[in-house]
Structures are given as structure tokens and as C-alpha cells.
Amino acid sequence: MKSKFFSRLTVLCALVSAVAFSPQFFVPGHADETNIARASQSDARLKKLENLMFDYVNVERQKAGLQQLVLDSILSDISRAHSVEMRDKNYFAHESPTKELRDPIDRYRLGKGSTPRLVAENIFRSWGSKHEIDDADAKKAHDSLMNSPGHKANILRDGPTRIGLGFITNANGDLWVTQMFSKP
């Protein structure tokens, strides 16, 4: 009798563990309905800006004699999801109001399903008069981050090997950018 009980308890605990800690749980209405920590990029203009910023970051790192970063698509999905959430929930911060996504490390763990050795995050926001997003917006975001000592330190930190970039906009041309740096 005890063996059946413990066997069922073990299966139940494994099931609870898989549901509670799985990085792939369903949240209806989110940009990526399989994982609230990820959002894919469907806008070709914004994907181009993400790639431009990737190049800008690696040029800065090369000038500083640092290893170039690898663009990580899952890290970009995680970065983009944070940008989407900031836009949709009308806030601008590294700390999310969503409990499971509170800090960059929480978003990384949920989005990747692992814990990195290093994670850092930069965020940027621009707004104003209505305009079409273009290449100049990526340059403006990059220059603003490089002119901020804390953000520049993240870009030029010796240690990260990967970067994710998430650009999101609204109909007015306002822009939210998240950069996530990691060493898996």
C-alpha cells in the first residue's frame, strides 16, 4: 500500500514540478502564446533596427578590444517581450509588474529555462510627435545608451557572450527597446 502511495505522490510531484517550473506555459492573448517571457518579431522594419543595433553594439565592443557578442534569437524574444509589456502596461522600468517576470533574471529563466552565469539589461524609450520608425531611431537609441554611464558599462562589459534585442513601437512611432546581455 505504501509503495502505491509513494509512487502516486512521486508522479504528482513530478507533474506539479513540470507545470510550475516549465518555461513553456500558455498565457492567452500574449504575443507568444507558449511563453509569456517571449515575443517574436513580425515587423520587418523593427527586425532591421534590431540588426542595426546589434552591429552598433559590436562596433563599440570591437573599438574597446572586447569580444563581439552573438545575436541570440531566444534572448531577442525575451527582450522583445519586455518591450511589449512596457508598451502595453504603460510603464518604463527594468522591474516588471508581472510577478513571474519581475527582474531580468526572472525573464531569462522563464524564457530560456535555465539560469545564466551573467545577465544584464538596458532599456530605452522615445516618444513625441507622430513619425515613421526608420534607421535613425536605432542610431538615436544606441547613442543615448552609450551616453549613459550605466548603460554604456553594460554594452562594454567584459563577460557577456550573447545579446538579445527587442524593438517595439506603436501607431504613433513611439519606441521601446530592450537589450539583454548574457553569458549562459
Side-chain angles (χ1 to χ4, degrees), residues 18-27 32-37 100 110:
V19 171
F21 300 108
S22 171
Q24 298 294 324
F25 63 88
F26 179 72
V27 176
D32 179 340
E33 293 188 347
T34 62
N35 189 317
I36 63 170
E100 301 87 358
L110 188 59

Side-chain angles (χ1 to χ4, degrees), residues 85-180:
E85 186 186 58
M86 288 190 293
R87 178 195 64 195
D88 293 351
K89 292 190 174 183
N90 197 28
Y91 75 94
F92 181 69
H94 294 285
E95 298 78 28
S96 167
T98 304
K99 183 181 176 184
E100 301 87 358
L101 306 172
R102 181 74 59 209
D103 296 309
I105 189 75
D106 298 324
R107 293 188 285 278
Y108 184 100
R109 285 177 180 149
L110 188 59
K112 285 268 199 180
S114 63
T115 300
R117 289 182 273 172
L118 180 148
V119 69
E121 180 179 80
N122 286 341
I123 57 175
F124 171 84
R125 167 95 165 82
S126 71
W127 64 95
S129 60
K130 187 170 183 162
H131 75 285
E132 287 293 318
I133 297 292
D134 62 23
D135 295 1
D137 291 292
K139 182 69 171 142
K140 176 183 173 186
H142 174 73
D143 290 345
S144 293
L145 293 169
M146 287 301 292
N147 287 324
S148 164
H151 295 106
K152 181 177 181 177
N154 279 341
I155 291 169
L156 299 179
R157 179 178 290 198
D158 189 18
T161 57
R162 308 180 89 63
I163 187 172
L165 298 154
F167 277 62
I168 292 296
T169 190
N170 62 13
N172 199 44
D174 300 338
L175 182 65
W176 292 258
V177 177
T178 302
Q179 296 177 325
M180 186 174 273

Side-chain angles (χ1 to χ4, degrees), residues 23-92:
Q24 298 294 324
F25 63 88
F26 179 72
V27 176
H30 190 268
D32 179 340
E33 293 188 347
T34 62
N35 189 317
I36 63 170
R38 295 188 194 175
S40 59
Q41 183 61 272
S42 59
D43 187 322
R45 297 169 309 143
L46 297 179
K47 183 69 173 171
K48 180 182 176 191
L49 298 185
E50 291 171 355
N51 288 325
L52 277 172
M53 181 167 275
F54 171 68
D55 292 340
Y56 295 148
V57 166
N58 273 333
V59 165
E60 297 293 346
R61 291 180 63 82
Q62 185 176 26
K63 284 192 244 177
L66 296 168
Q67 171 186 353
Q68 291 200 347
L69 301 174
V70 173
L71 185 59
D72 183 314
S73 62
I74 295 174
L75 213 51
S76 290
D77 289 350
I78 295 166
S79 299
R80 201 172 299 111
H82 187 58
S83 294
V84 167
E85 186 186 58
M86 288 190 293
R87 178 195 64 195
D88 293 351
K89 292 190 174 183
N90 197 28
Y91 75 94
F92 181 69

